[in-house]
Amino acid sequence: MFDAPFDVFAVMIAIAAFLIALKASNQATELRRRLGSLEAALQAQRQVQPPPPLPLQELASTPAAEPPPLAPEADVTPPPPVTEAASPPPLEAGTEPEMPPPLPAPAPGFEERLGTRWVVWIGGLALALGGFFMVRYSIEAGLVGPGVRVFLGSLFAAALLGAGEWTRRKESISNIQALPIANIPAILTAAGTAVAFATVYAAYALYGFLVPATAFVLLGIVAMGTLAAALLHGPALAGLGVVGAFATPVLVSSGKPDYWALYIYLAIVTAASFGLARIRLWRWLAVTTIVFAVLWIFPGLDNGQLEVAPHAFHAIAGFVLAALLVVCGFMFGPTIEDGQIEPVSSSALGAYLFGAMLIVLSSAHADLSLIAFTMLVAATLFVAWRAEAAVGALGAAAATVFIVFAEWAVRANPDMLVLPGGPMPGITPTATDSAVMQHLVMAAIFAAGFGIAGFFAQGRSNSAIVPVVWSAAGVATPIALLVALYARIAHLDRSIPFAIVAVLLAAAFGVATEALTRRESRPGLAISTALFATGTLGALALALTFALEKGWLTIALALMSLGTAWIAMKRPIPFLRWLAAIFAGIVTARVGYDPRIVGDAVGTTPIFNWLLWGYGLPAASFWAASLFLRRRGDDPPLRIVETAAILFTALLAFMEVRHLATGGDMIAAPSLLEAALQVCVALAMAIGLERLRLRSHSIVHNVGAIALTAIAGFISVFGLFFLENPLIWHIDVGGAVFNLLLLGYALPAVLLLLLAYAVVGARGKIYANAIAGAALVFALSYLTLEIRRFYHGPFLTTGETTGAEQYTYSIGWLAFGVVLLGIGILVNSERARLASAAVIALTILKAFVIDMSTLTGVYRALSFMGLGIVLVAIGWLYQRILFRRQITPPPTPQTTGS
C-alpha cells in the first residue's frame, strides 16, 4: 500500500515495539522465577512433620496413696520459674529436625540470557519478517500469481501456529521442566498470527479476492485468535503480534492506497490489542497500540486532496475503543479508586484528540473534519464526567480546541505571520476563508460545554485535583476561544461587539465565583473559586482590550490589578493576590516592550501627554492595590505590587522630565536641565519613601528609598559633575540668579539636607552623615558656580579668572562657613558646626595654596586680613559661647573653734 519510503520506517517501528515487548517479557519472567522459588520453599516447609506428642501414662491398677496433709505452719515454697535460657528437652526418637527453606535460585547470567531468551526473540522476529519479505519478493518478481501467494501465506501462517501449539503442549506434558524464559511456543505463535494478518489483508486490499464483509470477518477471527493465544502464551505473543499487525500495511504495500481498507483493518487490530491489554492489565500494550494507531493518522495528511472520511473514521474508532477498554472506571475499563487521574486513561483520549486536530488542520477546516473533531471533544467531556481517571484529557481537549481556532485565525490574517522586516521568499502565508458562522457556532458550543461542565463538576469528587482541572478547563477554554475569534474577525482592531461579549463572559464567571464562595468547603473548592475569579478579571481585561486602543490596554491591565486586589480584600481567595501581582508583571513587561506606550504618538505638551496617562494611572492603580493587599498581610504578591507602584512612579517622573527637557523627542541627547531635574525628582521620591517606610515597615519601601538615593548619586556624579558640568563643557546656564545652576546644584543641596534629616535615627549615622556631606558639596558647588556666572556670564568656560574673582571665591566661602557656624550655634547642631569647620578649612587651604600665588596687591592683603579676622572671631565665639568655662572661686578656709 505504501511503497519503499516506508520500509525503513516500518522496520524501525517493528524493532522499537519488539524492544518494548522484550522488556515486558523480561519483567514477567523474573516475576515467574521468584514465584517458583517461593512455592518451592513453601512446599519444603510443609513436608517437615512436627514431633509426635508424648503418650499418656496408664493409671496404676491400685489407687495411689494420698500424700500426707501439710502442716499449718509449714511454708510452701513454689518451684523456681523456668527461664528462657533453659535448654529444650531432647528430641524423641523418630522425630526429624525442622529443615530451613531452600535458597532461591540465582538470577540468570549473561550467557543464559543470550542463549535462552534473546536468541529466541530474534529468531521469532526474523521468522515474521522473513514471511513478509518473501511475500513482497514474490510480488515484485512475479514468481507466482496472487491466488498462490495468498494460499502460500495461509499455509505458512497455519504452519507457524501449529508449531507454536505443538511446542506448547510438548512442554506441558514433558517431564522436563521447560525454561519459562525461552518462550519458544509464544514466539512461533506470534509469528504465525502476524503472517495471518498479512495474508488476509493482502487478499482483501491488494487482490480483491475478498469482499469487505468477508475480510472484516476474517480479520476479526485472526484478531480474536491472537487475543486468545496471547492469554495462553503471555506478553511475548502480544508484543510481536501487535508489532506485526501494525507493520503489515507498510511491509505489504500497493501502488494506490486504500484508506478505508487500511483503517478498518487497524480498527480491528486496535480492538484486539486493547481487549488483550484490558484482560491481562498490560499498560505497556495499551500505550504501544495508541502510539502506533496515532502514527497511522499521518499518511495522507500532506496530500493536497486529503481523504477526510477514512481518517476521521480512524480517529473516532480508536477514541471509542480506548474509551471502552482503556479508560479506568468507564464501561469495560479497569477499576480504579475514585479521585485518581490515571495517566494512560487520560493520554489515550488526548492522543486521538491530537489526531483529530491534525486532520482538521490538514484539511483546511473541512466540514467533516470539524464535525468529527467536535464529536470527540464532546465525547471527552462525557467520558471525563463519568470517569475521573480521564479528567486529565480535559487539558488536551482545551489545548486542541484553541490550536484549531488559533490556526484558523492566523490563516485568515496572514499579516500576523509577517515579521517587521517583511515576508521571506517562499514563506508567505496563504489565507483561507472558512465559514465564519460555522466556527462561531462551534466556539459557542465549546465555550458553553467547558464552562458549564467546569462549574457543575465542583463538589462531585473527593479529590482536590479533579475539580481544579475541570475549573481550569472551564475558564481557560472560553477565554482562549474569544481571543482567537477576535483575532480572526476583528483583526486585532477595536471592536465594541467583542467587548460586549467579553463583559458577558466576565459576568458569567462572576456569578459562578459568587455561587462557589457560598458553598460548603469541599476538596479543591478554594482553588476552583480562585480560577473562576481569575476568569472574571481576565474577561474584563479582554473587554477593555477590545474596546480601547494602544496605550489604553496598559491602563486597563493596571486597573485589573487594582480590581483584583479589591476583590481579594472582599473575598479572601489566596490566588487572587497572586493574580494582582501577575497583572502588575504583565503591565511591566508591556512597558518594557515599548517605554513610550503609544509609540510616536506621545505628544509634545509638557506633563499632560500620554506619558501621564500611560504611567500615572498604572502607578495610582498599583499604589491603591498595595493598600488593599496590605490589609490582609505582607506577602510576596504585595511586595510585587508595591515594587510595580514604585517603579511606575519613578518611570512617570523620569519620562516626564525627559519629555520636558527634550521637547518631546524621547531619543534626544541628555542635557544639564534633564540631569538636574532627574536628581531633584529622585531625591524627592527618596524622601517620600523614607517617610512612608517608617509607617509601613515595608521592605520594598526600604529598598526603594535606598535605590532612588543611589540613582540620584549616580546621576549627580556622572551627570552634574562630569558629563553636564558647565565648568568643563560649553553649556549655557541661563540668567544671573534663576538659572540652571539654581536648579542643578542649589535645589539638590536642599533636598539632600532634607533627606539627611529624614534618615537621622532611622538609619546608620554614617549613611546620614554621607548624605549631609553630599548636601554640603552641592551647596559649595552652587556658590562657586554662581560667583563664576557673575564674572563670566552664561558660559562659564569663557574668559580668564581675575584676581577679583579669586578674592570673591575666598570671601564667599568664608561667609558661607560663617553662616553655617551661626546656624549651628542657633539650633545647637553639631553637624552644621562641623560643616562650617570643613568650609573654613577649605578656605584656609585655598588662601595658602591659591591666593598666595595668584593674587597680588590689595587683593592678597585683603584676602589674608579677612581670613584672619574671621578666624579670630570664630575662636572668640567658640570660647565665649560654645565652650565657656566658669571660673570656680577658691574654697573659703574654715576656722575651727577653740
Side-chain angles (χ1 to χ4, degrees):
M1 181 173 178
F2 299 95
D3 295 330
F6 290 93
D7 290 345
V8 177
F9 178 64
V11 174
M12 291 174 63
I13 294 176
I15 294 175
F18 159 70
L19 294 177
I20 295 173
L22 174 62
K23 180 179 179 181
S25 176
N26 292 343
Q27 294 175 350
T29 300
E30 185 67 19
L31 291 176
R32 287 197 297 268
R33 184 184 65 80
R34 294 184 180 180
L35 182 60
S37 300
L38 293 176
E39 290 179 349
L42 184 60
Q43 186 67 22
Q45 290 180 359
R46 290 178 178 175
Q47 292 177 358
V48 177
Q49 298 295 334
L54 295 176
L56 298 175
Q57 300 291 337
E58 295 183 358
L59 297 176
S61 58
T62 59
E66 295 180 0
L70 297 175
E73 296 84 0
D75 293 335
V76 180
T77 304
V82 179
T83 62
E84 295 181 359
S87 60
L91 296 175
E92 295 187 0
T95 62
E96 296 180 359
E98 183 177 355
M99 299 297 293
L103 297 176
F110 173 77
E111 184 178 3
E112 184 178 356
R113 293 175 183 272
L114 178 64
T116 61
R117 181 178 304 175
W118 297 346
V119 172
V120 176
W121 273 88
I122 297 173
L125 182 61
L127 277 176
L129 293 177
F132 295 148
F133 289 130
M134 179 59 69
V135 174
R136 185 178 183 87
Y137 173 74
S138 65
I139 295 174
E140 294 176 351
L143 299 178
V144 293
V148 179
R149 298 170 195 165
V150 174
F151 177 72
L152 292 178
S154 302
L155 288 181
F156 185 51
L160 290 175
L161 293 173
E165 182 63 20
W166 180 79
T167 53
R168 186 185 70 84
R169 296 195 177 192
K170 290 291 290 183
E171 286 185 353
S172 62
I173 64 177
S174 175
N175 294 329
I176 301 176
Q177 185 178 4
L179 291 175
I181 56 177
N183 221 353
I184 295 177
I187 299 295
L188 294 175
T189 307
T193 55
V195 175
F197 272 118
T199 302
V200 176
Y201 179 77
Y204 164 64
L206 301 183
Y207 311 122
F209 292 158
L210 303 176
V211 296
T214 305
F216 182 84
V217 172
L218 290 179
L219 289 175
I221 292 174
V222 175
M224 295 304 104
T226 303
L227 172 63
L231 292 174
L232 297 175
H233 294 280
L237 177 60
L240 286 182
V242 168
V243 173
F246 277 101
T248 295
V250 177
L251 300 176
V252 183
S253 59
S254 63
K256 183 179 180 181
D258 187 350
Y259 288 105
W260 275 113
L262 169 67
Y263 290 138
I264 291 175
Y265 163 76
L266 291 179
I268 298 173
V269 173
T270 303
S273 300
F274 282 163
L276 176 59
R278 169 63 185 93
I279 294 174
R280 299 299 295 268
L281 298 179
W282 288 338
R283 293 162 57 99
W284 65 268
L285 181 59
V287 173
T288 304
T289 303
I290 293 169
V291 171
F292 279 122
V294 173
L295 288 177
W296 270 112
I297 295 179
F298 285 91
L301 291 182
D302 56 347
N303 190 358
Q305 298 178 351
L306 173 64
E307 298 183 20
V308 178
H311 283 78
F313 166 78
H314 178 56
I316 294 174
F319 183 94
V320 172
L321 292 172
L324 294 177
L325 300 173
V326 177
V327 176
C328 297
F330 182 77
M331 299 300 289
F332 308 108
T335 58
I336 193 174
E337 296 181 2
D338 294 336
Q340 294 186 7
I341 300 179
E342 205 273 321
V344 176
S345 302
S346 300
S347 59
L349 302 184
Y352 286 104
L353 283 172
F354 173 75
M357 178 196 72
L358 292 180
I359 297 172
V360 173
L361 301 183
S362 300
S363 64
H365 295 246
D367 294 343
L368 183 59
S369 65
L370 289 175
I371 293 174
F373 179 72
T374 305
M375 292 173 57
L376 293 188
V377 173
T380 301
L381 294 177
F382 175 75
V383 175
W385 185 270
R386 297 290 302 274
E388 294 181 347
V391 170
L394 293 175
T400 53
V401 166
F402 174 71
I403 291 174
V404 166
F405 279 83
E407 191 267 351
W408 175 65
V410 172
R411 280 178 177 266
N413 296 275
D415 55 316
M416 297 181 185
L417 298 179
V418 178
L419 298 175
M424 297 178 64
I427 312 183
T428 303
T430 302
T432 56
D433 187 14
S434 300
V436 175
M437 184 57 63
Q438 182 183 21
H439 284 77
L440 288 176
V441 173
M442 286 179 56
I445 294 174
F446 286 144
F450 278 93
I452 295 174
F455 173 76
F456 284 104
Q458 305 305 312
R460 296 182 66 249
S461 176
N462 294 325
S463 173
I465 187 63
V466 172
V468 170
V469 174
W470 274 105
S471 59
V475 170
T477 305
I479 292 179
L481 289 174
L482 185 60
V483 172
L485 293 175
Y486 168 72
R488 167 61 178 84
I489 299 174
H491 305 283
L492 301 181
D493 291 332
R494 183 170 176 267
S495 175
I496 298 301
F498 273 100
I500 295 174
V501 174
V503 170
L504 295 177
L505 182 61
F509 285 149
V511 172
T513 303
E514 189 66 22
L516 292 178
T517 54
R518 297 178 180 178
R519 292 187 180 181
E520 60 180 1
S521 179
R522 293 282 295 173
L525 184 62
I527 300 178
S528 298
T529 306
L531 289 174
F532 276 100
T534 303
T536 303
L537 299 173
L540 287 176
L542 287 179
L544 296 174
T545 303
F546 298 158
L548 304 176
E549 294 179 336
K550 296 181 180 180
W552 290 110
L553 174 59
T554 303
I555 298 173
L557 294 176
L559 293 175
M560 291 306 303
S561 179
L562 173 60
T564 306
W566 181 79
I567 295 175
M569 182 184 64
K570 297 295 183 181
R571 293 287 187 269
I573 301 174
F575 183 73
L576 290 180
R577 299 176 65 88
W578 278 107
L579 184 60
I582 291 173
F583 278 122
I586 294 174
V587 175
T588 304
R590 167 71 178 84
V591 172
Y593 172 74
D594 185 5
R596 296 174 296 177
I597 298 180
V598 289
D600 296 331
V602 176
T604 58
T605 304
I607 307 299
F608 298 98
N609 47 54
W610 247 108
L611 296 174
L612 179 62
W613 317 122
Y615 286 99
L617 290 179
S621 299
F622 294 146
W623 281 113
S626 66
L627 294 178
F628 292 144
L629 295 178
R630 181 166 290 278
R631 295 184 181 182
R632 293 192 175 272
D634 188 354
D635 54 0
L638 170 64
R639 296 171 185 174
I640 293 174
V641 175
E642 287 181 339
T643 303
I646 296 174
L647 176 63
F648 271 80
T649 303
L651 288 176
L652 170 64
F654 291 150
M655 296 296 285
E656 286 285 9
V657 165
R658 180 156 185 80
H659 183 276
L660 175 65
T662 60
D665 186 3
M666 303 302 292
I667 60 175
S671 62
L672 176 60
L673 173 63
E674 180 180 355
L677 291 175
Q678 301 284 21
V679 171
C680 293
V681 165
L683 291 175
M685 290 188 294
I687 294 171
L689 285 179
E690 290 289 354
R691 299 296 185 184
L692 179 61
R693 77 178 185 89
L694 296 178
R695 291 183 297 174
S696 66
H697 303 286
S698 171
I699 187 175
V700 177
H701 297 162
N702 185 15
V703 175
I706 297 176
L708 287 171
T709 303
I711 292 173
F714 180 83
I715 300 175
S716 299
V717 173
F718 292 97
L720 296 178
F721 290 101
F722 180 66
L723 296 178
E724 303 298 334
N725 191 341
L727 280 177
I728 301 175
W729 310 101
H730 192 68
I731 299 174
D732 186 358
V733 298
V737 177
F738 298 99
N739 50 36
L740 293 180
L741 301 178
L742 182 67
L743 183 63
Y745 298 92
L747 185 57
V750 176
L751 293 173
L752 283 169
L753 184 62
L754 295 176
L755 180 60
Y757 279 101
V759 300
V760 169
R763 298 192 185 274
K765 187 175 181 180
I766 298 177
Y767 186 82
N769 289 337
I771 296 176
L776 179 62
V777 171
F778 266 91
L780 194 59
S781 299
Y782 170 71
L783 178 61
T784 304
L785 294 175
E786 189 64 32
I787 292 174
R788 189 165 183 85
R789 167 66 182 80
F790 177 77
Y791 282 96
H792 294 267
F795 294 97
L796 306 185
T797 56
T798 60
E800 296 181 357
T801 303
T802 62
E805 181 180 350
Q806 286 288 0
Y807 177 71
T808 308
Y809 289 142
S810 299
I811 293 299
W813 291 6
L814 194 59
F816 180 57
V818 172
V819 171
L820 289 177
L821 179 60
I823 295 175
I825 293 174
L826 290 177
V827 301
N828 193 21
S829 172
E830 181 183 5
R831 185 177 289 110
R833 296 194 299 268
L834 292 176
S836 171
V839 173
I840 292 175
L842 183 62
T843 306
I844 295 172
L845 180 64
K846 176 182 180 297
F848 284 93
V849 174
I850 299 177
D851 293 354
M852 185 176 293
S853 60
T854 59
L855 294 181
T856 59
V858 68
Y859 289 115
R860 179 186 297 178
L862 291 176
S863 175
F864 280 90
M865 290 173 60
L867 179 60
I869 294 172
V870 171
L871 291 178
V872 171
I874 291 174
W876 182 84
L877 289 173
Y878 270 85
Q879 292 178 6
R880 296 295 180 177
I881 299 177
L882 294 177
F883 300 102
R884 183 174 59 178
R885 297 181 180 180
Q886 299 292 338
I887 300 176
T888 304
T892 304
Q894 297 181 357
T895 60
T896 59
S898 56

